[in-house]
Amino acid sequence: MTLTLSTISREQHLAYIQSLPAASHCQVPAWADVKTEWRSESLGWFDRDGQLVGAGLVLYRQLPKIKRYLAYLPEGPVINWYAPNLADWLQPMLAHLKNQGAFSVKMGPPVVIRRWDSAAIKSGIQDQDVKRLRDVEATHIEPRAFEVADRLRKMGWQQGEDGGAGFGDVQPRYVFQVPLANRSLDDVLKGFNQLWRRNIKKAEKAGVEVVQAGYNDLEEWQRLYEITAERDHFRPRPLSYFQRMWTVLNSEDPNRMRLYFARHEGENVAAATMLIVGGHVWYSYGASANHKREVRPSNAMQWRMLRDAYAMGATVYDLRGISDSLDETDHLFGLIQFKVGTGGEAVEYVGEWDFPLNKLLHKALDMYMSRR
């Protein structure tokens, strides 16, 4: 199969993404407008008949003082990763990026390697000797993913450092997903653990209502989000980031981003943003007040968002990053504990990979990043 690669228009890129069952929200053309500190480019792969058969959003970040760039394809490119001739897809991309002044390329193949169902995770949590997800036997292993990793290594790609729970600019290697395909909503609810079902009922009884909100409510979202940031010790993104995200994503597709609030007695006590690309729906950012936790607004909100995703025909509801720690003393443990209650599965991707086009500059960047 002879492949050619060239820059494509955003329209071509979007049309290609829309022709697929799903793709990562980090690979839609409008994501480039969310990440304004990066320069961007849409790449297209064409077969010998001139058909567009793959696409990638590249973000370029310039090195301080010199005209060389780190080229980053978050959760992409969107190509046939299982193709035996993977080099024929990636070599032209590397050549093109080098021409564009890239000294290093980072990408995140959207390739799943292992899955653990809730029962496996629970038994891992109960086992004193188990500290990490990878110490637990996977419920499902994707043998082709190991072949992909193998091919990448042979081509000179290096596996990047673990992105942990996906805080910061690196995409998460471990995520938590609730599969919706070929399941009834009743099945999904039955999959929730007792505590979750009890909390959903509790919220209902207490009169918690979950509403979908709009652009003008982002200031209220920001208020709750900053309360959460202070409580959980992370640096919040500014309001302008979410306003830009809303504007650019929803002008690309009016149903790309949604905002939800959980209200109790007229007061907003929890909020969340949702992203939608084809059949893949993500719970993206979450926030909650410091009080009224006893009425379980977060459980009510997740259940509403999941039902909405289901009504849209989504095949997966993605709760995004988790850490792979099953150690109850770990500060990120609460995250997996909350998500595992939905009866979904932990999913491990092959992670992010780097290709140093200029070894010296790549090493310099590594050192710079590790000092930050």
Side-chain angles (χ1 to χ4, degrees), residues 12 18 100 126 157 162 165 171 213 215 229 249 305 326 330 347:
Q12 281 173 296
Q18 285 168 336
Q100 294 288 315
Q126 281 153 8
W157 288 84
D162 246 3
Q171 298 307 319
Y215 178 85
L249 292 178
M305 287 164 74
L326 297 183
D330 190 304
V347 176

Side-chain angles (χ1 to χ4, degrees), residues 236-248:
R237 291 189 182 274
L239 172 61
S240 58
Y241 180 82
F242 294 103
Q243 288 173 327
R244 182 168 70 240
M245 199 172 174
W246 183 278
T247 308
V248 301

Side-chain angles (χ1 to χ4, degrees), residues 55-72:
L57 175 70
V58 188
L59 302 174
Y60 293 98
R61 183 172 262 180
Q62 192 175 341
L63 269 187
K65 301 189 185 63
I66 57 169
K67 267 210 147 29
R68 300 302 291 276
Y69 303 87
L70 166 68
Y72 183 31

Side-chain angles (χ1 to χ4, degrees), residues 201-356:
K201 275 209 175 81
K202 208 179 213 171
E204 213 172 306
K205 231 183 190 147
V208 171
E209 52 160 353
V210 180
V211 296
Q212 209 182 317
Y215 178 85
N216 293 338
D217 304 292
L218 284 169
E219 283 179 30
E220 174 62 3
W221 146 264
Q222 191 71 16
R223 183 185 70 82
L224 285 168
Y225 170 64
E226 286 180 12
I227 290 170
T228 309
E230 195 172 327
R231 182 177 67 235
D232 295 346
H233 312 293
F234 65 84
R235 200 167 80 215
R237 291 189 182 274
L239 172 61
S240 58
Y241 180 82
F242 294 103
Q243 288 173 327
R244 182 168 70 240
M245 199 172 174
W246 183 278
T247 308
V248 301
L249 292 178
N250 287 337
S251 61
E252 176 176 277
D253 177 329
N255 198 29
R256 184 76 83 221
M257 179 176 176
R258 289 184 174 192
L259 174 65
Y260 288 84
F261 285 108
R263 288 187 183 151
H264 185 250
E265 293 168 343
E267 181 188 6
N268 294 317
V269 282
T273 62
M274 179 198 258
L275 296 174
I276 301 141
V277 184
H280 202 127
V281 171
W282 292 265
Y283 152 58
S284 174
Y285 285 86
S288 59
N290 290 331
H291 62 298
K292 295 208 169 179
R293 301 188 138 202
E294 69 286 351
V295 297
R296 305 298 177 198
S298 295
N299 299 85
M301 191 167 57
Q302 289 294 344
W303 178 230
R304 161 74 192 268
M305 287 164 74
L306 205 146
R307 292 200 317 270
D308 284 3
Y310 188 88
M312 282 185 255
T315 52
V316 61
Y317 181 71
D318 196 322
L319 290 134
R320 285 299 273 169
I322 51 172
S323 120
D324 83 326
S325 173
L326 297 183
D327 180 353
E328 297 185 19
T329 60
D330 190 304
H331 72 290
L332 291 172
F333 176 73
L335 205 58
I336 192 166
Q337 200 175 28
F338 177 74
K339 294 176 182 183
V340 89
T342 60
E345 53 191 21
V347 176
E348 181 190 0
Y349 284 89
V350 292
E352 296 201 313
W353 293 72
D354 297 306
F355 196 99

